[in-house]
Amino acid sequence: MSHEIRTPMNAVLGMTNLVLETPLSRKQKKYLEAINKSSQNLLVIINDILDLSKLEAGKMELERIPFNIEDSIQQIKDTLRFNAEEKGLKLITIISDDVPRFLMGDPSRLNQILINLAGNAIKFTEKGSVKILVENDTAIKGAVKFRIIDSGIGIPPEKLNLLFQSFQQVDSSTSRKYGGTGLGLTISKTLVELQSGKISMKSELGKGSEFHFFIPYENATEESFKVLENSKLTDKASLDGIRILVAEDYEYNQIVLRDTLEHLIKNVKIDIAENGKIAINKLEQNEYDLILMDIHMPEMNGLDACKFIRNEMGESKKFIPIIAMTANVLSKDIEATKEVGMNEFVPKPFKREELLQVLSQFYYNPNGQQKEGDLNNKSGTTNVEINSEKVTDMTFLESFTEGDQDRMKKYIDLFLKLIPKNLEKILLALDQNNYNDLAIFSHTMKPQLNYMGMKEAKGWAEKIEKYSKEGIELEKIPKLIEQLKSHIEKSYEELNEVA
Ligand code: ADP
């Protein structure tokens, strides 16, 4: 069933997003945004229910691969850092020295459990901290113990035994205030037990809660882990040097695609066409290995462009692989792409692995060699520069969210919401020569600037913080703040375009 339920939901979301990109009255926009939000909430619930039914039916298959526990915890931290920062909470992670770094098991399921528990901890904590501790479980040989400790609202004792049951929340106001389905803990418990572990918790009302679980893992060797990592890299290596024409009108998507591909593939060459007509012109004049084609574009859409290429162009060009990219994932849309002769289909927002996999179906460079460390390679030559004076750069956010556009949008929205307030505080502190506040506010601004790839601005914030803290070079601070302000204003324009 899961495909049948998720597909139309994705279509609702995808199409809502598409309509949101068109000119709309304020009222229409508001209604559509409400549809968007509700569908996203519904999708979370659907995913939870589907997960649970899969678990209950015994259909969830566990992986058994070597993984690095430090990477796993870092990933959790990266994912939740912003949620914690938004609430002013400290997110602390500690891995004890006696925990083996390389373990054999299912890192995705561990991630799912930790995200559930630590996500709850953040959700139900208003101030203080959330800690994730990873320890060697002395009671059971080889078991690793995970403790998620918060200083939040706590849970009344009479409710404790209900929590691991499906659809249970502490009281009915919970879902109204905090959202959620009441399924997260049930799923986590089942996942832990599936891995021969155990989960339990203790809590004190008003003081906080601790959820802890252990999973017995075998140790893995660093070599086996590296072999696995390298095998993932080999795929990318075979894409070395690929020349891609991207036909896409939406600048935000252009940037995301370019960043992702340049980040992942060595010597990739990317050319961008804003519509089907331009794509055809470019294809006539240049050599490409493959086209990534958006369906909805002004002037000439992707389907018509593909029809033209397949029917009207010369022998050397007409067989070029064309991969459709669209948010429409209904079967009739997919059929339409096949009918005009498109080779494959990647749903938007795309997942990196999915995109790479499709690319490697149509291109293979046997000499491609990509070593670890080459991943951030930026040497890909490009024919079209996208607005190089931009003060923001989505590379980091893109890699950090793994290309998940909903998450990216969330961070951008958050940035747009928080940054003006923060700037205001800095300006006020400067006005009052309050260097203590200046140090604090420029400090809190740094990670926000980092997420948006605003390197220069982050450098200035760093200096402002340092000078204010140490009471040196104070005369330079006003100028630094002015520069910071100008970049923030510019970022506001750039990000409002993509958000
Ligand atoms: P959800 O969070 O989607 O409501 P869960 O199964 O994850 O569902 O959690 C069930 C309920 O347990 C929550 O609604 C909340 O009332 C309570 N709960 C879970 N974690 C915490 C926590 N860290 N602190 C306080 N209450 C919690």
Side-chain angles (χ1 to χ4, degrees):
M1 274 307 282
S2 87
H3 182 71
E4 282 75 5
I5 298 176
R6 281 193 181 112
T7 307
M9 263 323 288
N10 278 325
V12 171
L13 264 169
M15 298 221 185
T16 312
N17 280 325
L18 280 179
V19 185
L20 272 169
E21 284 168 22
T22 61
L24 295 166
S25 73
R26 274 214 356 245
K27 228 180 190 171
Q28 287 170 322
K29 189 154 183 262
K30 207 172 111 202
Y31 294 160
L32 278 166
E33 275 166 357
I35 296 180
N36 201 10
K37 186 104 204 40
S38 302
S39 336
Q40 276 176 17
N41 291 343
L42 187 54
L43 193 60
V44 171
I45 299 174
I46 289 174
N47 282 336
D48 272 359
I49 292 176
L50 289 173
D51 263 0
L52 192 64
S53 56
K54 204 166 167 187
L55 279 167
E56 282 174 348
K59 292 265 166 60
M60 183 75 83
E61 277 173 24
L62 289 178
E63 259 191 320
R64 197 170 168 281
I65 53 171
F67 67 98
N68 181 344
I69 188 72
E70 278 171 357
D71 292 350
S72 302
I73 297 301
Q74 187 59 42
Q75 203 184 340
I76 302 291
K77 209 169 175 181
D78 286 342
T79 312
L80 295 177
R81 183 187 283 154
F82 225 87
N83 302 34
E85 260 170 27
E86 192 184 6
K87 296 182 80 175
L89 300 174
K90 276 210 186 95
L91 180 60
I92 300 160
T93 60
I94 301 170
I95 307 176
S96 301
D97 287 339
D98 55 357
V99 176
R101 284 328 187 230
F102 298 97
L103 301 168
M104 190 68 109
D106 191 330
S108 313
R109 299 297 149 227
L110 175 63
N111 182 303
Q112 198 178 352
I113 301 163
L114 286 172
I115 292 279
N116 263 336
L117 298 181
N120 273 350
I122 294 172
K123 190 157 88 171
F124 297 108
T125 301
E126 294 312 324
K127 62 174 198 280
S129 65
V130 168
K131 290 188 205 129
I132 303 175
L133 309 181
V134 185
E135 297 163 358
N136 201 358
D137 194 328
T138 44
I140 299 135
K141 195 172 169 286
V144 179
K145 186 171 182 183
F146 299 84
R147 299 167 65 200
I148 295 88
I149 305 168
D150 67 55
S151 56
I153 60 175
I155 297 162
E158 70 276 12
K159 298 277 183 178
L160 287 181
N161 54 347
L162 285 178
L163 284 188
F164 289 106
Q165 295 171 20
S166 302
F167 301 107
Q168 291 292 339
Q169 296 184 314
V170 162
D171 62 59
S172 55
S173 66
T174 308
S175 71
R176 240 178 298 130
K177 185 161 173 210
Y178 298 100
T181 55
L183 287 176
L185 288 178
T186 316
I187 292 173
S188 302
K189 179 171 187 276
T190 320
L191 283 173
V192 168
E193 287 169 1
L194 201 61
Q195 298 173 85
S196 316
K198 222 174 158 159
I199 187 168
S200 54
M201 58 102 46
K202 53 186 181 193
S203 183
E204 207 177 322
L205 200 58
K207 291 253 169 72
S209 312
E210 171 175 338
F211 285 79
H212 46 252
F213 65 95
F214 74 82
I215 295 179
Y217 285 116
E218 274 169 49
N219 292 356
T221 58
E222 188 169 355
E223 291 72 48
S224 64
F225 172 71
K226 283 210 168 126
V227 168
L228 182 75
E229 287 298 287
N230 284 335
S231 73
K232 286 186 202 158
L233 290 175
T234 338
D235 284 343
K236 290 166 201 159
S238 67
L239 291 171
D240 200 344
I242 187 171
R243 297 162 298 179
I244 302 175
L245 175 61
V246 174
E248 163 73 65
D249 61 317
Y250 193 32
E251 195 193 8
Y252 179 62
N253 288 341
Q254 293 170 358
I255 295 172
V256 173
L257 260 173
R258 179 190 286 278
D259 279 351
T260 310
L261 294 171
E262 286 183 350
H263 181 70
L264 293 173
I265 306 171
K266 200 179 170 193
N267 296 321
V268 62
K269 296 179 187 62
I270 297 164
D271 209 350
I272 288 176
E274 288 78 17
N275 63 47
K277 258 199 188 127
I278 300 176
I280 289 170
N281 283 341
K282 288 197 177 257
L283 180 59
E284 263 159 3
Q285 286 158 22
N286 305 297
E287 294 300 321
Y288 302 104
D289 299 302
L290 181 146
I291 303 178
L292 287 174
M293 183 86 85
D294 182 26
I295 301 296
H296 298 271
M297 288 183 288
E299 293 259 340
M300 183 188 255
N301 70 32
L303 296 177
D304 289 340
C306 179
K307 248 191 254 168
F308 184 90
I309 294 168
R310 295 283 185 249
N311 300 320
E312 315 285 334
M313 289 190 81
E315 290 296 307
S316 66
K317 306 273 173 163
K318 71 188 320 175
F319 300 113
I320 186 165
I322 300 178
I323 293 159
M325 297 197 84
T326 167
N328 296 1
V329 289
L330 290 183
S331 54
K332 77 174 181 7
D333 297 312
I334 300 173
E335 268 162 35
T337 66
K338 297 265 145 86
E339 256 166 42
V340 296
M342 292 187 162
N343 302 73
E344 258 304 336
F345 169 85
V346 177
K348 282 202 288 195
F350 64 88
K351 296 202 183 81
R352 293 156 153 229
E353 285 309 317
E354 223 165 43
L355 182 62
L356 286 177
Q357 217 207 340
V358 172
L359 293 181
S360 50
Q361 275 178 43
F362 297 98
Y363 180 87
Y364 180 70
N365 177 356
N367 303 319
Q369 276 184 354
Q370 191 164 24
K371 290 187 236 61
E372 236 171 319
D374 280 352
L375 274 178
N376 287 315
N377 167 285
K378 285 278 167 202
S379 65
T381 48
T382 47
N383 299 337
V384 182
E385 273 307 314
I386 310 176
N387 207 348
S388 58
E389 301 100 336
K390 286 204 150 175
V391 298
T392 56
D393 174 357
M394 292 294 113
T395 316
F396 173 74
L397 192 59
E398 160 67 24
S399 94
F400 164 70
T401 58
E402 295 183 333
D404 182 332
Q405 297 203 9
D406 288 340
R407 278 178 63 209
M408 285 184 69
K409 187 171 167 349
K410 193 176 118 201
Y411 291 121
I412 294 174
D413 286 346
L414 198 64
F415 177 87
L416 292 174
K417 198 173 92 193
L418 294 178
I419 211 82
K421 288 184 201 149
N422 221 326
L423 183 63
E424 227 171 71
K425 286 183 194 157
I426 289 185
L427 293 170
L428 186 71
L430 176 69
D431 229 31
Q432 301 170 339
N433 289 330
N434 183 340
Y435 294 109
N436 194 26
D437 276 5
L438 263 181
I440 295 172
F441 297 132
S442 48
H443 176 83
T444 38
M445 197 180 249
K446 279 188 314 187
Q448 296 165 359
L449 298 169
N450 207 23
Y451 277 92
M452 298 301 133
M454 299 173 64
K455 292 204 186 70
E456 266 180 292
K458 185 179 162 234
W460 296 326
E462 229 150 29
K463 280 192 181 148
I464 298 168
E465 183 190 3
K466 184 173 157 48
Y467 296 165
S468 312
K469 244 189 208 156
E470 297 173 9
I472 53 167
E473 316 236 32
L474 295 181
E475 71 288 352
K476 290 193 179 152
I477 290 181
K479 174 84 186 150
L480 287 167
I481 292 180
E482 201 183 294
Q483 288 169 309
L484 186 64
K485 182 167 171 260
S486 81
H487 268 214
I488 287 175
E489 281 164 358
K490 180 100 197 314
S491 77
Y492 219 71
E493 281 167 30
E494 290 171 16
L495 295 172
N496 258 320
E497 256 173 48
V498 293

